[in-house]
Amino acid sequence: MRARRFVACLCLAIWAQGAWAFDYPELDGADPAHYAAAKGGDPYAGFSYVLPVLNQDIIAPEDWTEVRGWLDWLYGAFEAEGNAHGQAAVAANMAGRLVARQDFDDAIAWIRRCADHDEALSGEPRLYLSWCYDTAGTLFVQMALPQRAIEWHQRSIDIQLAHYDETDEQIYLEGALNSHGMATYAVTLSEDYENAIRYREEGLEMAQAHTGKDSELTAVAILNLATTLWYAGDFPQSKEWFDRGMPLIERHAARYDYVSVIARMNAALLAYDLGNLEEARTLALSIVPYLAANPELSLEQQRWTFQVLRKVYTQQGDANRAIMFGKLAVNAQQEIRARNSGFAEAEVDALRARWSSLYQELAALMIREGRFSEAQAVLNMEKEQEAFEFLKRDSSAALKETRAVLTDEELDETAQMNALAARPVAAYEVYRALLKEVGDDPTPEQDDQLFLLEDAMEEAEAAYQDSVDAFLAQVAEADRKGFEEGFDATGAYQDILQEKERPSAILQLAVLDEATHLFLTLPGATVHKTVEITRGDMRAQVFAALQAIERVDPDVNTALQGLHDLLLAPVREELEIAGTEVIMLNAGDVLRYVPFAALHDGTHYAVEDFAFAQYVAAVPTNYGRPDRQRASSAGFGVTQAHGGFDALPGVGFEIEALFTADDGQGVLEGQSALDEGFDARALRKVLRNPPELLHIASHFALAPGQIDDSFLLLGDGSELRLSEFGTRRFNLSGVDLLTLSACQTARGGDGSEIDGMGVAALQKGASAVMASLWPVADAATPILMRDFYEGLYGGGLDKAEALRAAQVAMLRDGGTATLMAMRAAAALEDAPEPPPQGFAHPYFWSAFIIMGNWL
């Protein structure tokens, strides 16, 4: 909790010194009496001109660039005159505002400029120097480095108290109390709670003795003590002090003043820990208008406020809103990290560790809700980098720059929240403007207007709370049908099975709150098994297995055996008795993401016994096998880097290995194109007379819940949106197989919104789609694809069996035999090297699945 100071410490943007010629822009709120002299080059007049703006609580984002321009000019002008005091004054203001916007690396540069003048100011008033030191302490507090913070705050306190003893000026006492409070906060962060509480009590005594028991400084000191007691876990004592301090601060500070916002934010945290969820929710929501009005200047408050709202809604069982607020909290932290990308990783380890729970708790909530892709993205954000032993087909955008993507529903809800929040803020701004205009001596008419505005503010605040309560009470009804509606009638399934060339079964899996149900349909028979496991535990187990696969964990089979025991073992005997060769899967919830081929029974993988295919109930499937022609094929690929996506050098090798090259060694005889030859026009042209086989090797970016932000990367760097892909311009009728050799084309969000490009392709007329469940390995994919197509065209196998055979070959010899055969062709000597352990790990071969017609 910080008392308001002579100069507010808020800012927005970075302006590079010397980046443009200074033209002395006129500032709203500045003192026009000094403008002419300032424009004439007088830095003292310049500082007097800017000072009223610096004294404002908030500088509008659109004004900050010009204000910073003035400060940059002033610093240089004072430097030219050798005026160390003027330089320190400018640097103090600049550093304070930069720290408030969490722009630490830029702030440190200005703090160092201040510190450079320590000796030069030994005989001067050192107020601004003390503020620089105080700002440095605040910076290190927010970087979670309390010991360094304490050292800087103590230097500030020594200067402030020395000047107060000499001058008895209130401003030095306020500064000393503020520095003392922040130093105590640093002690609190170091978990030395006994001393922290003692220091807070000393600060309260100091404030009361010098400013009275009812002053604003005393109110701030009381709330500081309450907050420290909260940190120490003494919730009853904390509440007693909050109950004393809140009415007092409300008497002195307007509702959307910084100190009032911080007080309610801390009180909300305490209310949550006391189990008073409604009180915590109301207090936190009352802060949202301030956050909405100052989105770039309130990142720290956003982080705390949205975190407590996420916790409240989690406890109240509203997972969707909990996830929305959790994303907003994470995004505030991501913005703070992005603004401080200049720091070495070692310097921000403590900050990252302190806030890691933001990511981990949100990801855990997403996992329980089956929103795996979003959970994975949030966990990746927490990491500073991912080390891959080989090139993966995945975006390499800097993780610090990424944000948790809000779904369309969440964006809509957030926009409505902000619209509601704007109303009380607007009333407050009108009131504050009039109050500033009339000063301490309003006319009777102005006084009446102020009273009316005060009433309007109260009504606006009440209306805001009522509107928010009503809005949030409208729990969105997800457009999801019960699991029984997602499965066709048993008789219809048995009719399908009777028509198959090979013994087949349909395994339907439904995840419910307290159990998972397995419905096995065989020709002429059905079996129902219940597995006693909660939805949350099932989701956690699936997520853990996927994580183990994607990090190429050598102990992955332990997790895969656990899933086998839950999902396949209960019906294994019936499958074997029926002589089943192909299992058609109709999985619900997160079980759609399970690589059933990789399930392990303790001795071998399921793919060694069964072929698997996905049965998509939402898309009618016509089963049949065409007279396959190698020439009826087309291939496209992307090898170059575009935007945030890595280059894919293996794709060039893949296309060359699959499609007939000059030496005639390719498996397929159709046309192919790479990079600039692969644009939307080329794809549309091929689909005018659709080939039986269409092979696309590229990146696919899936944004769960946002169909317009999900896209396939084309070779010219453009993006084919999933929404556009579903139009008439891309006709897939007649395509027997669309292979998407790309990044996690099959995985959607939470299993209920976007099923990925694979299902979109089935809906557009493709008979079958081969897609991947996770980012595939660039070196392994050409090998798997070569074996798959050779089985399909050379061996006469159906799609499911061709995929099974290719997978078994890779897991048993690590892909070595196929790689050597491919390299036998002179044109393919540049084949990528496999990792030392080969490609036998499930990561390399079990990602791909067949969806739709597997014949």
Side-chain angles (χ1 to χ4, degrees), residues 328-346:
L328 294 174
V330 161
N331 286 348
Q333 173 65 4
Q334 286 294 98
E335 180 63 24
I336 292 170
R337 291 173 65 192
R339 292 182 180 186
N340 296 284
S341 57
F343 280 105
E345 295 304 323

Side-chain angles (χ1 to χ4, degrees), residues 152-218:
W152 284 96
H153 280 307
Q154 189 58 57
R155 294 172 71 180
S156 175
I157 293 169
D158 292 343
I159 294 173
Q160 299 269 14
L161 289 180
H163 279 291
Y164 179 71
D165 290 341
E166 295 170 5
T167 64
D168 201 35
E169 290 186 24
Q170 191 76 5
I171 190 171
Y172 296 115
L173 176 64
E174 291 182 9
L177 286 172
N178 183 76
S179 299
H180 183 275
M182 290 305 295
T184 305
Y185 182 45
V187 174
T188 304
L189 289 183
S190 66
E191 299 185 358
D192 184 1
Y193 298 126
E194 183 177 349
N195 278 324
I197 292 169
R198 178 168 59 83
Y199 292 151
R200 287 298 193 200
E201 291 171 342
E202 290 175 0
L204 176 56
E205 291 174 4
M206 209 183 215
Q208 290 176 329
H210 291 282
T211 65
K213 293 185 177 181
D214 294 330
S215 70
E216 181 178 356
L217 284 174
T218 295

Side-chain angles (χ1 to χ4, degrees), residues 12 23 62 184 198 233 284 292 309 321 331 364 449 453 599 676 680 804 846:
L12 177 61
D23 59 0
E62 60 271 18
T184 305
R198 178 168 59 83
L309 284 168
R321 287 204 172 84
N331 286 348
Q449 191 173 359
L453 284 171
L599 298 187
E676 289 80 6
R804 189 191 80 83
S846 67

Side-chain angles (χ1 to χ4, degrees), residues 368 513 532-543 566:
R368 288 199 298 273
D513 288 340
E532 301 296 335
I533 182 172
T534 65
R535 187 195 303 267
D537 288 344
M538 176 63 82
R539 288 171 169 173
Q541 198 155 335
V542 170
F543 187 75
L566 294 171

Side-chain angles (χ1 to χ4, degrees), residues 623-684:
Y623 291 92
R625 185 190 305 191
D627 182 17
R628 295 193 170 101
Q629 302 293 323
R630 296 176 190 260
S632 185
S633 59
F636 294 100
V638 178
T639 68
Q640 299 175 356
H642 294 285
F645 292 101
D646 282 332
L648 297 173
V651 165
F653 173 74
E654 176 180 329
I655 296 297
E656 187 177 6
L658 297 178
F659 287 84
T660 303
D662 293 339
D663 54 17
Q665 295 298 316
V667 179
L668 304 169
E669 299 174 2
Q671 298 298 311
S672 63
L674 295 172
D675 298 325
E676 289 80 6
F678 175 29
D679 58 13
R681 288 174 62 88
L683 183 57
R684 288 175 62 183

Side-chain angles (χ1 to χ4, degrees), residues 302-314:
Q302 290 176 44
R303 187 170 55 187
W304 282 105
T305 304
F306 295 142
Q307 180 190 31
V308 76
L309 284 168
R310 189 257 301 162
K311 290 182 174 182
V312 166
Y313 282 111
T314 298

